[in-house]
Amino acid sequence: MAWAPEARTAAPGPGGSDLEVLRALESGPRGLVEAEADERLARHGENAFPGRRPASWPRRFARSLRDPFTAVLVGLGLVSGVLAAWGTACVIAVLVTVSCVLRATGEHRADRSAAALRELLAATATVRRRATDASPPTAREVPVDQLVPGDLVLLAPGDLVPADLRLLRATGLTVHEAALTGESAPVRKSAETPPGPDGGGSGFDRPHLCFQGSSVVSGTASGVVVATGRDTVLSGALSAEHGLRGRGRRTATPFDQSVNGIAWTLIRFMLLTAPLVLIADALLHGRGLETMPFAVAVAVGLTPEMLPVIVTTALARGAALLARDGEVIVRRLPALHDLGAVDVLCVDKTGTLTEDRPVLAVSEDADGRHDPAVLHWAAVNALWTLHLAELPAPDALDEAVLDAAAADFGTDPGEEYEGVDALPCGPGRRLSTAVVRRPGDPRFALASTHTLVVKGAPEDVLDRCALDAAERERLAGRARALADGGLRVLAVARAERPARGRPYAPGDEHDLTFTGFVGLSDAPAPSAAEAVARLALRGVTVKVLTGDHPGTAARVCRELGLDPGEVVTADRVDTLDDAALARLATDTTVFARCAPEHKARIVRALREGGHTTGFLGDGVNDLAALRAADVGVCPRDGVDVAREAADVVLASKDLTALERAIVTGRRSSANIASYLRITLSSNFGNVIAMLVAGLVLPFLPMLPAQVLVQNLFFDAAQLALAFDKPGAGAGERPAVLRPRALLRFVTGFGLLNAAADLATFGVLALAVRSLGGHGGQEAFHAGWFTENLLTQGMVMLLLRSGRRAAEGRAAGPVLPAVTGLAVVGLLLPLSPVGAALSMTGLPPVYYGLLALVLALYGAGLAVARARADRRPAA
């Protein structure tokens, strides 16, 4: 990535001397004057990323109206208003309002929870400023967003780099750029400017620059701010990846596709049904537009009016449970369903599967045998280089060596010696030397000796050892083999030298005796292995997409119990078209040396191959993949902009929280699927029965007001499904709403329900035959009203989620809801409300015959459900 030429700071290029940079920025080694800093802040703006502004609550409410079923309900409400069917219009308006309020509130609450995570990050930086021109410079803490170009920033271990900096001084500085590049190894930085017009490199490969978003691992430094806010390289990366600027919208998710598919199928059927009712009544009974309210009632009866409410309630309840446990923040409610549908999870290794902390894996001698002495001498080098070179902190590899030595030997091996001198690593120098002596030896006695302990890059150390060419090549091959196995390899050598008083120099590092190799690997995250195992049990395939070395990625996978298979590198990805990549991605577990565009392309290929794909990443280099996935997931300690781009944020560092979130998503989806199966089966059967009855009977089978009241009670009872506890199998496999399977299910059970309704016609004909014209109509309406609510209650009990829902599992809130529905169906026709709705009581014989019909219907439902359970779930 090139230095941004349009930067408003008017900073010089990354090359040039320190003096040129400071002059161009009108700054100096004593720092800015406070008044000048305030003026620059007003001119350049705050040092804040220009991210997406959270949508307001009213805007979220309005956006909820775009849901397909909500739009259908709004259309039916308008038609009802035109026809003066005010009861229907009012009920629809209430349903639409409740649904939109629930959805907007849930998403608004999730955004507030995600924003609260920013409080966990560092918010200040140490700068050197002056009160006036004559005042001495002082170091003080200022808010990060108050930094301006020209500020002198002081860095120490653990600090986040608050802006783009040109280093002026650095001592043993290493920074972690994994959030930017994906490389897990710390990068050494130096204040020396490499030759060349671009400072010796491009993008992040410039050792004299530190970039916003990286963090200090070891060492201290001071640097001058050359870019803030939208002018930083971090902001440029986000713009290039269509980060948060409004471009590159994610394509439709599985939830959107499923709901839209179901919605448009029902809309087409509704548009066909209403004209059929009107035409049939006009031709057979001579009724015209007076049938229009009944036709609208039939259309409303076919519509799953409560779907927006059920969907929003079920997902919001699941998201609230996850947030209450402090584990997961769901920033987009439909993402919880999509998370439950995920069957492939792509992860970035660094910071997700690993801790960005190396641990000792190998300590071996020249013959490849385990040898604790190699670790002993490596620790001596690490300890005394740290002390004698006055490094503020060891780098990550030295820390791992010292930790391993302390664990193996019970004490620090370096304490057996006295330090004499040290030659640390530095720019262009990939090894360090510690010179030590045994305690008690006279410091300048001619008979005493000093031990040089050298540790560093294998090729550099081997070049300084007294070895013949064949042996040197053999050892170099062993180092390459360890590196190919995923280890970071350090060679250790030593030499005895006569004691002397003058300082040691790199020229003294010759004729060394080779001691052995130490190999270090990335420490897996504590819960990573358990999380991978749990995901596999849930039917989720984990794939690793990383910028690291293929051997490193494969080793981490093996340590986590994940078979890496053949590791594919990015250069092979570049040779494949999209179709070939989709086939390869399905069968490949690890992709290494991946740039951001490779990760996004692989994720898209998996989606196009029919997989519901999630991506777990925490860095700027993961942004494109986060947005390309069906569900983007980011850990709490990911960079700010990665959390903004993600749909789900892991507030807990425990990766098993992701598995629990997937199970929660599947259970929420199971409740939504239950509602769809129940309401569509029941409504479809009722509509068919009403159409047949409308053709046969000389009067309307149900009055519009009766249809409205029946739907109102049925809808209220079905709200319990959003709070139902699905069966144990609901969280075992990916949950996807498949429109074809669902409609096949609905057709079969709807016809069964229609058969029960038509059987009720015969029962009513026997029961109300003696009641006369008007009394017969009221009794018929009452009988069908009762039968409909009772059969709908049976459907709720027998078709709810969970494969053995009808065989003794506790029904939770569903059983009270069904009981209430049955009570209403039996008693309302006998009450004054029933009389107002043109319904009357029925002879006792009807209830006996109805019980027989219901018994047969229940048996048919149980048999059909058992057969349906042997097929793929909807």
Side-chain angles (χ1 to χ4, degrees), residues 336-658:
L336 187 58
H337 166 272
D338 296 339
L339 196 60
V342 163
D343 62 338
V344 173
L345 177 67
C346 299
V347 300
D348 174 49
K349 177 187 72 66
T350 306
T352 52
L353 296 181
T354 63
E355 288 190 312
D356 295 344
R357 178 178 62 84
V359 294
L360 183 76
V362 170
S363 173
E364 65 177 41
D365 62 16
D367 296 322
R369 296 187 296 266
H370 175 68
D371 187 354
V374 180
L375 175 60
H376 167 91
W377 289 111
V380 170
N381 170 280
L383 180 68
W384 287 108
T385 301
L386 169 64
H387 288 342
L388 297 177
E390 298 182 354
L391 298 179
D395 66 23
L397 299 183
D398 280 346
E399 281 187 322
V401 167
L402 292 172
D403 289 345
D408 283 4
F409 304 116
T411 183
D412 198 328
E415 295 178 356
E416 304 173 16
Y417 305 90
E418 288 182 356
V420 176
D421 200 356
L423 303 173
C425 296
R429 177 178 165 81
R430 300 189 300 165
L431 52 79
S432 64
T433 297
V435 183
V436 298
R437 60 186 289 275
R438 287 283 182 181
D441 289 346
R443 182 175 297 274
F444 301 109
L446 294 177
S448 67
T449 59
H450 290 167
T451 303
L452 279 69
V453 185
V454 182
K455 172 173 62 66
E459 54 270 31
D460 291 12
V461 174
L462 291 174
D463 285 344
R464 291 162 171 78
C465 290
L467 300 168
D468 58 41
E471 181 66 5
R472 182 176 288 107
E473 180 56 33
R474 184 185 73 82
L475 292 173
R478 176 56 183 165
R480 288 192 296 270
L482 290 173
D484 290 341
L487 297 179
R488 300 178 206 170
V489 184
L490 299 173
V492 182
R494 65 187 191 276
E496 301 292 330
R497 297 283 192 266
R500 68 189 190 195
R502 63 181 176 83
Y504 284 82
D508 296 311
E509 299 164 339
H510 62 83
D511 294 330
L512 306 176
T513 300
F514 181 76
T515 304
F517 294 116
V518 291
L520 301 105
S521 62
D522 287 342
S527 59
E530 182 183 358
V532 168
R534 286 191 182 185
L535 289 171
L537 292 175
R538 301 292 183 185
V540 178
T541 301
V542 175
K543 298 182 182 294
V544 178
L545 280 55
T546 179
D548 255 344
H549 186 282
T552 303
R555 184 181 185 89
V556 169
C557 288
R558 285 191 291 269
E559 290 178 351
L560 297 177
L562 189 64
D563 182 8
E566 179 187 358
V567 179
V568 176
T569 54
D571 53 359
R572 183 177 173 189
V573 172
D574 290 333
T575 66
L576 302 175
D577 59 24
D578 291 343
L581 180 58
R583 292 191 295 271
L584 178 66
T586 299
D587 300 327
T588 301
T589 300
V590 181
F591 290 88
R593 297 297 191 197
C594 289
E597 59 270 19
H598 294 118
K599 294 181 181 181
R601 189 174 172 224
I602 293 166
V603 169
R604 285 194 294 267
L606 288 166
R607 292 186 66 192
E608 291 167 3
H611 297 283
T612 303
T613 307
F615 184 84
L616 172 61
D618 64 347
V620 175
N621 60 319
D622 298 323
L623 278 175
L626 283 168
R627 296 187 64 80
D630 292 306
V631 187
V633 184
C634 180
R636 178 192 73 184
D637 51 0
V639 297
D640 204 25
V641 289
R643 292 200 310 274
E644 288 291 333
D647 303 302
V648 176
V649 177
L650 299 182
S652 168
K653 289 188 176 182
D654 182 1
L655 287 181
T656 58
L658 180 59

Side-chain angles (χ1 to χ4, degrees), residues 665-724:
R666 291 177 181 180
R667 289 174 175 170
S668 298
S669 298
N671 286 343
I672 295 170
S674 285
Y675 168 77
L676 285 171
R677 285 196 297 265
I678 290 166
T679 191
L680 294 180
S681 299
S682 180
N683 291 353
F684 181 64
N686 288 342
V687 166
I688 291 177
M690 280 193 282
L691 290 176
V692 172
L695 298 176
V696 175
L697 298 175
F699 53 86
L700 292 177
M702 289 189 77
L703 299 179
Q706 295 165 353
V707 175
L708 172 65
V709 172
Q710 174 187 290
N711 286 344
L712 181 63
F713 283 111
F714 187 34
D715 290 342
Q718 288 182 103
L719 188 59
L721 294 172
F723 301 91
D724 192 20

